[in-house]
Amino acid sequence: MTAIRHGRHRFLAAAILPGLALYAVFVLSPYAQAFYLALTDWSGVSGQVDYVGLANFRQLLSDPLFLAALRNNALMLLVVPAATIALGLLLATLVNFGGRGGSTMLSAVRGGEFYKTAYFFPQLLSLPIIAVLWQFVYHPNEGLLNGVLRAVGLDALARTWLGDPRLALWAVMAVLVWSSVGFYMVLFSAAMESIPRDVLEAAVLDGAGRLDTLRRVILPLVRDNVQVAFVYLGVLALDGFAVVQIMTVGPGGPDGSTEVIGLGLYRNAFTYGKFGYAAAMGVALFLLTLALAVVTMRAGRREPVELS
């Protein structure tokens, strides 16, 4: 038995250690290097690396462009997850429980699978492609959005969506929501489909209407999915680099109204050659993302719901 146990341990070690080694080299090692470079003034080209301590982080606190990016990312963190989750839950509820038939009066709508496929379609496109498409949609003269507004007689609502500092960031956030809501609609829909029908029937027999059933039965049972969705969408909101880089003037404009941390990181590293300062931005973004995940998971901690 001892020989069998040792043989099993050797097999597990042979299966796991190569993967761990690759993970350490290609994932953990770059993180460690980024933390080290954040304490230097490395230019990214020369072999000379001078240690500057926390000077890069002190500079972040007085950099107006970084502070503007921080404010923009904070607004995105408030709006993008909330809007995407709300729309995803609404669409999933309508598809799964918006029908008229069924013993519980909470049956799926006819053609629900088609709706899921249609809403999921943006996930088949990469984010840069979506950004390019929406750049044309927002075009002030030939764009689809202003064209539709003018066609229905709402010329006064036509705007230079990406050229107005008051609207540009909201236009970017709308693209992030549009590109993400289909995936989370399907995710929430799958969670709702796993709810036992007898639980819904019991709620209806107890006199609960559609709204009460949704609020007191369905939403508590998909809460874990919502929590995970918030973490992933929070990471998306704290990034936003690809959409801002492609869609906006500057990019990051006008007047820094769409500046995000990822864009400042890219600019400092590959335009200004300040890899040390850019690494400090990356470390700050990493810590913000980690804090978001920890706070969200701890805030949503609760006793599991048991269905009997």
Side-chain angles (χ1 to χ4, degrees):
M1 292 296 295
T2 302
I4 295 176
R5 188 179 300 111
H6 287 313
R8 183 178 61 183
H9 290 166
R10 284 195 295 269
F11 172 77
L12 292 175
I16 295 174
L17 290 179
L20 289 177
L22 291 174
Y23 183 81
V25 171
F26 294 106
V27 178
L28 297 182
S29 175
Y31 274 108
Q33 293 179 46
F35 275 85
Y36 168 69
L37 291 175
L39 304 175
T40 70
D41 65 349
W42 186 46
S43 65
V45 179
S46 68
Q48 181 179 358
V49 180
D50 295 327
Y51 179 80
V52 296
L54 299 177
N56 287 328
F57 294 97
R58 286 193 292 269
Q59 185 179 348
L60 287 178
L61 298 177
S62 59
D63 185 345
L65 206 55
F66 175 79
L67 295 178
L70 197 60
R71 289 193 297 270
N72 291 337
N73 277 121
L75 179 59
M76 293 170 68
L77 182 59
L78 291 175
V79 174
V80 172
T84 305
I85 290 173
L87 287 173
L89 285 172
L90 175 62
L91 294 173
T93 302
L94 292 176
V95 168
N96 285 278
F97 305 113
R100 297 178 179 275
S103 60
T104 64
M105 295 303 291
L106 293 170
S107 60
V109 297
R110 184 176 302 174
E113 295 302 320
F114 168 78
Y115 292 120
K116 293 177 186 178
T117 303
Y119 290 130
F120 190 80
F121 177 75
Q123 295 298 311
L124 303 179
L125 304 176
S126 67
L127 202 54
I129 293 176
I130 290 173
V132 171
L133 292 176
W134 275 89
Q135 193 176 34
F136 287 108
V137 171
Y138 284 137
H139 193 281
N141 298 321
E142 303 174 0
L144 176 64
L145 181 55
N146 282 346
V148 170
L149 291 175
R150 294 186 180 106
V152 297
L154 298 176
D155 303 59
L157 296 181
R159 297 287 188 274
T160 53
W161 301 98
L162 296 175
D164 189 335
R166 298 169 299 175
L167 299 175
L169 185 61
W170 292 95
V172 169
M173 289 190 291
V175 174
L176 291 175
V177 172
W178 180 87
S179 65
S180 304
V181 70
F183 174 82
Y184 292 99
M185 176 265 191
V186 173
L187 175 68
F188 298 147
S189 180
M192 291 176 183
E193 288 176 354
S194 67
I195 299 175
R197 303 302 298 183
D198 55 354
V199 174
L200 300 176
E201 291 175 358
V204 172
L205 291 175
D206 287 341
R210 287 177 182 263
L211 186 59
D212 286 334
T213 303
L214 173 65
R215 183 165 56 92
R216 299 181 181 274
V217 179
I218 297 173
L219 290 183
L221 292 176
V222 300
R223 179 176 175 179
D224 291 340
N225 300 83
V226 172
Q227 185 180 26
V228 172
F230 186 88
V231 173
Y232 279 99
L233 287 166
V235 173
L236 175 67
L238 287 175
D239 180 17
F241 166 76
V243 174
V244 172
Q245 170 73 9
I246 295 171
M247 291 182 60
T248 60
V249 181
D255 298 330
S257 60
T258 57
E259 182 74 16
V260 292
I261 298 175
L263 183 62
L265 188 158
Y266 174 84
R267 186 188 299 115
N268 278 280
F270 299 104
T271 301
Y272 305 144
K274 299 180 179 179
F275 272 77
Y277 188 54
M281 287 187 174
V283 170
L285 184 59
F286 167 78
L287 295 176
L288 288 173
T289 305
L290 182 62
L292 168 69
V294 171
V295 169
T296 302
M297 299 306 290
R298 289 184 64 87
R301 184 180 297 175
R302 58 164 188 165
E303 293 295 325
V305 177
E306 296 183 0
L307 298 177
S308 57

